Amino acid sequence: MTATIINIGTLIVSSPDICGNRPRIAGTGVSVGRIATLWKSGMGAEEIARDIQLNLAQVFAALTYYHANRAEIENILDRDDANYERLMELHYAQQ
């Protein structure tokens, strides 16, 4: 039986038309930031894979990318949080 070899460098991609150019798991719309957020909340890799319907290689690739590029991902998450807060303020100000 021949094993399929996967270049792990192909598991994380970015493109402007999906996830706003944020790093994501190839072939999905799942961002590295989403995986990192779940992991930081206490979920294990197996639980993340099961809940989001990914394989462990995809989850570990996202976590590896996060740890290798922590400042980049944390900046993205901080910007997303700030945008969320701004939109919530606008929403409640209009009511």
Side-chain angles (χ1 to χ4, degrees):
M1 179 157 99
T2 304
T4 301
I5 304 298
I6 297 172
N7 176 346
I8 62 169
T10 64
L11 295 176
I12 304 298
V13 297
S14 296
S15 56
D17 58 329
I18 302 174
C19 294
N21 211 34
R22 290 168 176 80
R24 64 180 169 82
I25 299 170
T28 76
V30 180
S31 70
V32 169
R34 181 174 180 199
I35 299 298
T37 299
L38 293 172
W39 178 79
K40 291 188 322 180
S41 76
M43 290 178 74
E46 292 86 359
E47 187 178 9
I48 294 169
R50 185 176 52 253
D51 285 0
I52 302 181
Q53 299 178 340
L54 300 170
N55 63 51
L56 277 175
Q58 292 170 309
V59 173
F60 282 121
L63 290 172
T64 299
Y65 188 96
Y66 168 71
H67 288 290
N69 302 282
R70 188 181 301 247
E72 172 198 8
I73 301 302
E74 289 297 334
N75 285 335
I76 290 169
L77 294 174
D78 289 344
R79 281 194 318 266
D80 287 349
D81 285 345
N83 285 334
Y84 174 81
E85 292 298 325
R86 183 181 57 78
L87 291 172
M88 289 300 290
E89 288 173 10
L90 285 172
H91 173 75
Y92 285 114
Q94 293 175 357
Q95 291 186 356

